[in-house]
Amino acid sequence: MTAQLIDGNALSKTLRAEVATRAAALKARGVVPGLAVVLVGENPASQVYVRNKVKACEDSGLHSVLEKYPADLSEADLLARVEALNNDPAIHGILVQLPLPAHIDAQKVIEAIAPAKDVDGFHVASAGALMTGSPGFWPCTPYGCMKMLESIGYELRGKHAVVIGRSNIVGKPMALMLLAKSATVTICHSATADLGAMTRQADVVVAAVGKRNVLTADMVKPGAVVIDVGMNRNDEGKLCGDVDFAGVREVAGWITPVPGGVGPMTITMLLVNTIEAAERTAAASAT
Ligand code: GUN
């Protein structure tokens, strides 16, 4: 069996077109949805990410502001910028690009963002909302994975989902989202005794470790859905995920490629969260 691909580029295109339609509707009501992206320092990967985020906003009709600061910006000054953006009515979403320089407490900065503008979904209030099933913003990468499962009409209820990785940004929120859809969820990590024994029982595997070949063909149940969140480089310098794609695609039923899988979905869901934030603000001010 060769797995069917879940195409993140195609799905992104559809979802971004919906964002553009919603942005146009808001603009007709006099509200221009706006995202502020804050970058501190010169991290080359971060520079590429923020450029892509700003470009994606432009392409979907969202207003975006890119604020760039030198690496020696003080924590107090960054907190003051976040506070100003919290109070700026033209800004509906705030994203502070991570990692931040070592002298800045990243969690403190994230907690300074108004939860109503936390389109990254990293604030403890957002995490709490996800955990309790209350309205809030979901972290973009796992939210994108859920959209990919939805796009193939996959019914999670009663299925066994195994998440490999326990980060606050992907692994833990991913597990909560799968649980909310009534999957039976196992979280595996670096101390898991026998990873293969777990993944071989899985109907869905989400690999979010940041290491190549974490999941190989012998670890996958025939027909399983495999979602690859990894972004690594192979020996030739080519982008690859956490999954041994060539091997696993011969066993799985569905698989996301790298590149062209989860990657584009992360920015897409940032746009979705931003338009949602703008719509909620517009609805609140209309009442
Ligand atoms: N750095 C890498 N990915 C992300 C992300 O999704 N959001 C933020 N704020 N920083 C990141």
Side-chain angles (χ1 to χ4, degrees):
M1 177 192 224
T2 300
Q4 298 192 64
L5 292 186
I6 310 178
D7 183 341
N9 284 322
L11 181 56
S12 283
K13 208 171 156 189
T14 306
L15 294 175
R16 290 186 195 199
E18 286 172 19
V19 168
T21 305
R22 288 164 71 181
L26 272 180
K27 276 187 206 167
R29 293 167 55 195
V31 178
V32 180
L35 173 71
V37 179
V38 180
L39 175 64
V40 183
E42 318 269 310
N43 182 313
S46 291
Q47 287 180 334
V48 174
Y49 288 141
V50 299
R51 216 179 305 133
N52 289 342
K53 288 169 184 174
V54 168
K55 165 132 190 355
C57 281
E58 280 167 17
D59 292 348
S60 294
L62 272 59
H63 166 64
S64 68
V65 178
L66 174 57
E67 295 196 3
K68 283 188 181 181
Y69 297 104
D72 62 357
L73 180 77
S74 73
E75 184 182 278
D77 285 348
L78 180 55
L79 290 170
R81 273 316 301 152
V82 169
E83 188 54 25
L85 292 167
N86 282 341
N87 295 319
D88 184 343
I91 295 300
H92 303 96
I94 302 170
L95 181 150
V96 178
Q97 186 67 25
L98 303 178
L100 286 167
H103 67 278
I104 297 177
D105 180 344
Q107 200 55 40
K108 195 168 165 186
V109 174
I110 289 166
E111 303 313 340
I113 296 171
K117 298 191 178 187
D118 177 36
V119 288
D120 251 337
F122 294 169
H123 195 289
V124 286
S126 303
L130 170 59
M131 192 177 148
T132 55
S134 317
F137 292 109
W138 287 5
C140 301
T141 301
Y143 191 10
C145 295
M146 292 303 286
K147 285 284 175 192
M148 295 180 104
L149 290 167
E150 195 183 304
S151 76
I152 60 168
Y154 194 78
E155 173 58 58
L156 280 161
R157 185 179 187 82
K159 299 292 191 345
H160 186 191
V162 170
V163 178
I164 316 172
R166 55 174 156 177
S167 70
N168 289 338
I169 293 177
V170 184
K172 283 189 237 174
M174 184 81 248
L176 289 170
M177 290 175 202
L178 293 161
L179 183 62
K181 291 286 180 190
S182 300
T184 301
V185 182
T186 302
I187 305 178
C188 298
H189 46 76
S190 51
T192 297
D194 187 347
L195 180 61
M198 298 294 147
T199 57
R200 274 189 288 276
Q201 298 174 37
D203 303 300
V204 177
V205 183
V206 180
V209 176
K211 214 168 88 187
R212 283 159 57 193
N213 296 331
V214 158
L215 192 76
T216 49
D218 58 304
M219 298 165 74
V220 175
K221 179 159 95 173
V225 182
V226 175
I227 309 280
D228 190 350
V229 179
M231 278 271 211
N232 313 297
R233 298 270 167 193
N234 67 14
D235 293 334
E236 290 85 52
K238 272 178 51 183
L239 205 59
C240 67
D242 290 352
V243 174
D244 171 24
F245 183 81
V248 170
R249 78 177 302 184
E250 299 305 326
V251 182
W254 293 90
I255 190 167
T256 66
V258 177
V262 175
M265 292 299 294
T266 296
I267 294 188
T268 299
M269 300 323 292
L270 173 68
L271 301 176
V272 169
N273 278 348
T274 303
I275 199 78
E276 183 70 36
E279 286 172 351
R280 286 180 198 172
T281 306
S285 59
T287 54

